[in-house]
Structure formats: structure tokens, C-alpha cells
């Protein structure tokens, strides 16, 4: 019996998410003058980054027993993605808000109102996972190359 999964239909939702990001990046390239970044944009990007962060965590855990080297590389990617997620969260709070001049986490003051899951709540939940699996030293370590080691 042969497998029904081929390269073209493996992981269709992940492939669709990638296609969506590519489409969005191309659309931004075509806008003249460039479209300004707003809080809604960074909130959606942060949601994507935290979902990808969770996926990398699950893949690292699944890869470790059978392939420890691959698991370590995925764990490193997990940590680096957290750093990118944290920077997107910080940028969100540095963007101007018509509701308040404060940069602190106050979802009730967001111009679009408090969403069901605010960026700050999402960030804190993802941060909890990071604190369980990484040390502050891991998070502050400079990025390194992940050359293929046999």
C-alpha cells in the first residue's frame, strides 16, 4: 500500500499560511507610498509568530527522542523565534495609539477595543512556555550558525 501523502499535499494548512504571508509581503511591496504599520497589523503578525512558536516547540519535542541533533536545532529555532515575537510585541506598544499616550499593556485602551485575546495576554501565555524550557542565558545568547553536523 502506498502513502496518499505527496509533497504537494503534505501539511496543507501550513502551506496555506506560508502562501498567505508571501501574498501579504508582495502586496506590501506594491504599495506606493509604503503602507504605514499599525497596531492591528502587528497584532496579526504576533498571533502568527506565537502560533509558529508553538509549532516549533511541538516539533522539537517530537524530534528529540529519535533525532536529538535535529531536536536541538529546532529548540534553538524556537528560542530565536521567541526573540522575534518579543520584538514584535515591543514594537506594537511603541506605535502611536489614539486612545492613550502610554506604552504599557492596557488592552481596554486599545483603539480597536479589547479583543477576545489581546496581544499582551497572548504574549504572556507564550512567555510562560518559554520560561519553562529556556534559561535567561539561552535568550540572551547571540545567534549562531547551525551548520550541518554529522
Amino acid at each position: 500500500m502506498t502513502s496518499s501523502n505527496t509533497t504537494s499535499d503534505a501539511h496543507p494548512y501550513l502551506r496555506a499560511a506560508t502562501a498567505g504571508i508571501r501574498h501579504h509581503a508582495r502586496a506590501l511591496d506594491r504599495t506606493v507610498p509604503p503602507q504605514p504599520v499599525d497596531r492591528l497589523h502587528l497584532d496579526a503578525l504576533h498571533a502568527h509568530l506565537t502560533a509558529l512558536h508553538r509549532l516549533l516547540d511541538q516539533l522539537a519535542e517530537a524530534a528529540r527522542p529519535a533525532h536529538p541533533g535535529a531536536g536541538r536545532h529546532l529548540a534553538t529555532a524556537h528560542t530565536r523565534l521567541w526573540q522575534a515575537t518579543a520584538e514584535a510585541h515591543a514594537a506594537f506598544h511603541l506605535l502611536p495609539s489614539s486612545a492613550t499616550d502610554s506604552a504599557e499593556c492596557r488592552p481596554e485602551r486599545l483603539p480597536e477595543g479589547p479583543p477576545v485575546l489581546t496581544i499582551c495576554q497572548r504574549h504572556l501565555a507564550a512567555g510562560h512556555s518559554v520560561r519553562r524550557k529556556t534559561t535567561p542565558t539561552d535568550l540572551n545568547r547571540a545567534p549562531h550558525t547551525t551548520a550541518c553536523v554529522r
Side-chain angles (χ1 to χ4, degrees):
M1 182 188 241
T2 61
S3 173
S4 63
N5 282 347
T6 64
T7 303
S8 63
D9 67 358
H11 313 291
Y13 295 115
L14 191 56
R15 292 170 51 83
T18 302
I21 296 232
R22 285 182 185 146
H23 174 77
H24 186 69
R26 280 193 299 270
L28 286 175
D29 281 343
R30 286 184 236 142
T31 60
V32 178
Q35 193 177 25
V37 177
D38 60 9
R39 285 181 152 201
L40 287 174
H41 199 168
L42 286 184
D43 185 39
L45 179 62
H46 187 271
H48 186 80
L49 289 171
T50 54
L52 186 57
H53 183 259
R54 183 176 14 219
L55 176 62
L56 271 174
D57 183 37
Q58 291 170 340
L59 291 173
E61 289 296 320
R64 272 194 188 111
H67 307 285
R72 282 191 301 274
H73 283 287
L74 289 171
T76 299
H78 175 261
T79 301
R80 299 300 173 245
L81 186 58
W82 170 251
Q83 293 168 330
T85 304
E87 295 301 329
H89 179 252
F92 174 90
H93 288 292
L94 292 175
L95 289 177
S97 169
S98 60
T100 180
D101 295 327
S102 173
E104 64 184 296
C105 290
R106 307 272 318 247
E108 71 277 3
R109 291 185 166 179
L110 291 175
E112 48 287 339
V116 174
L117 179 64
T118 67
I119 188 172
C120 299
Q121 291 169 326
R122 185 185 322 112
H123 195 71
L124 289 171
H128 179 71
S129 167
V130 170
R131 284 189 303 278
R132 285 185 297 131
K133 297 184 181 213
T134 57
T135 66
T137 303
D138 292 334
L139 294 173
N140 292 325
R141 194 178 303 158
H144 67 280
T145 60
T146 55
C148 189
V149 179
R150 296 203 182 239

